[in-house]
Amino acid sequence: CVGMLAAFTACSDKNQDPTDTPSSVSSVVSVAPSSEGTLGKYDVSILGARISSEAEGKYNFFITVKVVNNGTEPITFQDTFNTMGYQDGSLLSAMETTKDTTFDPALLTQEIAAGSELQVEVPFEMINQTSNVKFEISLLTSPENGKLVKEFALKSGTEKN
């Protein structure tokens, strides 16, 4: 079952707002079902994705993840989970900086108390604006305990559901 996760409006202005998407992309849809599960002591849900434009024709892909800490000790997302993004079989680079004002990088290192939950965005630099983006998340210290995988398709504004 493919569901719409986010819709975007294209802008032809050269001084684009960082949250605008390229004119060829109007939405992101999920194409893989394994979007939630338990990794170690943590319930993890891959909630959705969005695109943000940057300077020089580059675009960032933000994947929203919710974590529930069922353990007895506080954790941080960054110190607990390994995240990987791929396009066309190539590993995507983690995004270091962005002009996107809605992204809060501090959430990646914010403490998640035992029994609490936190929703974060995991950023990647896209290789192109046409190929699917595959996202994987596993435990940093014990990836053999499994991983969650979700694939997102970039959908053209001319396509219909």
Side-chain angles (χ1 to χ4, degrees):
C1 178
V2 176
M4 178 77 83
L5 294 177
F8 301 98
T9 305
C11 179
S12 61
D13 183 4
K14 284 192 137 198
N15 296 318
Q16 287 185 336
D17 176 21
T19 59
D20 286 342
T21 61
S23 59
S24 63
V25 177
S26 65
S27 64
V28 177
V29 295
S30 168
V31 295
S34 62
S35 60
E36 58 185 52
T38 300
L39 297 174
K41 302 174 187 175
Y42 317 106
D43 293 332
V44 179
S45 300
I46 304 168
L47 301 176
R50 68 183 179 88
I51 298 170
S52 177
S53 65
E54 290 292 320
E56 300 171 12
K58 294 183 180 180
Y59 294 89
N60 295 321
F61 200 77
F62 296 88
I63 299 166
T64 305
V65 178
K66 181 177 85 171
V67 173
V68 178
N69 180 358
N70 296 317
T72 58
E73 300 291 325
I75 63 165
T76 67
F77 185 88
Q78 184 171 302
D79 293 336
T80 306
F81 298 99
N82 183 45
T83 57
M84 309 285 270
Y86 300 91
Q87 257 187 322
D88 295 329
S90 296
L91 182 64
L92 297 178
S93 299
M95 187 203 58
E96 302 278 328
T97 61
T98 182
K99 292 189 275 181
D100 187 299
T101 57
T102 61
F103 172 62
D104 185 357
L107 292 176
L108 295 168
T109 58
Q110 181 174 316
E111 186 175 278
I112 308 169
S116 296
E117 69 178 54
L118 182 67
Q119 187 170 303
V120 301
E121 285 187 308
V122 181
F124 295 99
E125 288 184 23
M126 298 174 72
I127 293 171
N128 62 59
Q129 290 79 54
T130 57
S131 300
N132 290 3
V133 175
K134 180 179 172 184
F135 175 72
E136 298 178 356
I137 183 169
S138 61
L139 289 175
L140 189 60
T141 57
S142 50
E144 69 279 358
N145 286 341
K147 63 183 173 184
L148 296 177
V149 179
K150 189 166 184 110
E151 188 169 352
F152 298 93
L154 305 184
K155 193 169 175 163
S156 169
T158 59
E159 294 180 49
K160 303 285 181 195
N161 281 343

